[in-house]
Amino acid sequence: MPELPEVETVRRALALHIVGQRVDTVEAHPVKMRRPLDPAALRQGLLGQRLAAPRRRGKYLLLDTEGAGSLLLHLGMSGRLLLSDRTAQRPAHTHLVLGLDSGAELRFADPRRFGLVQWLDPGQEEKERGLASLGLEPFDPDFIGHIPPLLRRSRASIKALLLDQGLIAGVGNIYATEALWRSGIRPSRRGSAIALARLERLVEAVQEVLAEAIAAGGTTIRDYANLAGDAGSFAVNLKAYGREGEPCLNCQTILRRNVIAGRSTAWCPKCQH
DNA sequence: CCAGTATCCTGCAGGC
DNA sequence: TGCCTGCAGGATACTG
């Protein structure tokens, strides 16, 4: 579910509402997620701490405490982070609840449990595999210069390369599909078989679609909600993702669908080469 | 090196 | 109305 724009939308809202808040209560359930959630470590790290400015890296969120250490979060496919009144009903599958001194609660719910909730002591962040192996941020000033040559170096499909978090941090199935449609590149094409100029157009399209989606508060297909529980509005602007069988908005050809790099992919057989 | 598959889970839509 | 199947925005560990 949540790719970079959705996680960034949540991060911005957190920055407005939780910075400086003290964590007065920690309620954590020892559920199995990508890794088992560890209530004792979370309580030990978070209880009584004030929260600093939240950071995002790829699809990960890092909630630093002013003391030391950070809460590492990943929303997986169905994760939600919600800031709610204490009296408001909790969603099903709420695994972590931080009571803040404002009286609000920061809640993490994740029905499918593909997400991650992990306390990081100082120094652990650098050793965290998922974080340390991330590639460039799409809004890094070096992005346009560095990424196209890297994409040309590989014989993997360009779709697989866009989804590779070790190359580009934060792009998932929706925005990879959209950027390929926008730049007229067939998702199955090998990176090494695409001219550099076209790859430059592709990475610009990645930046554009991510920026537009952030401005719209992200894409909600089903599960995604922002910190307040509201849907993002970018779904109406999707041109390819989920539109297989419908006419291309560029040339009216019926969009096709197949599985590339293990993920459902919609594309136009006429516009994308 | 790379494609494909399976796995971890719940929930929902669609077919019958 | 119910049951069954397939599919879903992710990451990772396998196999061939």
Side-chain angles (χ1 to χ4, degrees):
Chain A
M1 140 191 130
E3 306 180 30
L4 186 153
E6 292 73 39
V7 179
E8 177 62 16
T9 297
V10 171
R11 188 200 67 78
R12 290 181 183 187
L14 283 169
L16 292 175
H17 293 110
I18 68 159
V19 174
Q21 290 289 311
R22 192 183 62 227
V23 179
D24 285 336
T25 61
V26 176
E27 180 186 330
H29 304 281
V31 291
K32 289 200 164 90
M33 302 218 288
R34 233 154 84 189
R35 261 179 252 161
L37 191 149
D38 182 348
L42 290 162
R43 203 172 304 117
Q44 170 109 15
L46 286 163
L47 200 58
Q49 292 291 325
R50 286 193 185 278
L51 298 170
R55 292 177 289 142
R56 179 190 58 73
R57 186 72 176 96
K59 300 171 193 171
Y60 290 88
L61 269 177
L62 286 147
L63 302 194
D64 298 333
T65 60
E66 285 185 351
S70 311
L71 176 61
L72 176 65
L73 298 171
H74 193 295
L75 302 180
M77 293 277 255
S78 60
R80 285 183 175 196
L81 204 53
L82 297 164
L83 190 66
S84 312
D85 189 274
R86 214 160 271 200
T87 59
Q89 196 179 1
R90 290 180 185 176
H93 308 284
T94 296
H95 308 312
L96 177 71
V97 179
L98 304 183
L100 306 178
D101 64 352
S102 63
E105 283 184 349
L106 185 61
R107 302 165 171 175
F108 178 89
D110 184 7
R112 292 178 69 184
R113 290 189 258 142
F114 290 172
L116 180 68
V117 176
Q118 174 84 38
W119 175 255
L120 298 179
D121 280 321
Q124 281 190 302
E125 184 180 329
E126 294 70 21
K127 296 171 186 164
E128 212 25 70
R129 293 189 298 273
L131 279 178
S133 63
L134 287 175
L136 265 188
E137 286 290 327
F139 297 112
D140 187 298
D142 292 332
F143 188 69
I144 303 275
H146 285 187
I147 295 298
L150 284 180
L151 298 174
R152 254 184 83 78
R153 206 168 293 166
S154 171
R155 292 169 56 77
S157 73
I158 189 64
K159 174 88 185 287
L161 294 171
L162 288 178
L163 293 174
D164 183 348
Q165 300 301 298
L167 284 174
I168 301 173
V171 172
N173 202 31
I174 292 180
Y175 301 111
T177 299
E178 291 298 299
L180 288 164
W181 182 85
R182 287 181 180 217
S183 55
I185 296 172
R186 196 163 290 204
S188 57
R189 200 166 183 81
R190 295 174 188 277
S192 56
I194 306 172
L196 197 57
R198 301 185 69 213
L199 290 171
E200 284 168 356
R201 214 187 318 150
L202 171 62
V203 297
E204 284 168 8
V206 167
Q207 287 185 329
E208 283 168 14
V209 72
L210 293 178
E212 290 171 26
I214 291 169
T219 301
T220 296
I221 303 296
R222 173 175 298 157
D223 295 317
Y224 170 71
N226 66 18
L227 199 57
D230 301 320
S233 68
F234 195 69
V236 295
N237 297 309
L238 297 176
K239 304 291 204 294
Y241 180 88
R243 295 197 65 248
E244 55 270 18
E246 296 176 48
C248 174
L249 294 168
N250 213 23
C251 74
Q252 314 311 317
T253 303
I254 299 300
L255 296 185
R256 293 177 56 176
R257 173 201 180 270
N258 55 0
V259 174
I260 298 169
R263 316 298 299 279
S264 179
T265 307
W267 54 284
C268 175
K270 187 170 175 204
C271 294
Q272 294 178 255
H273 296 282

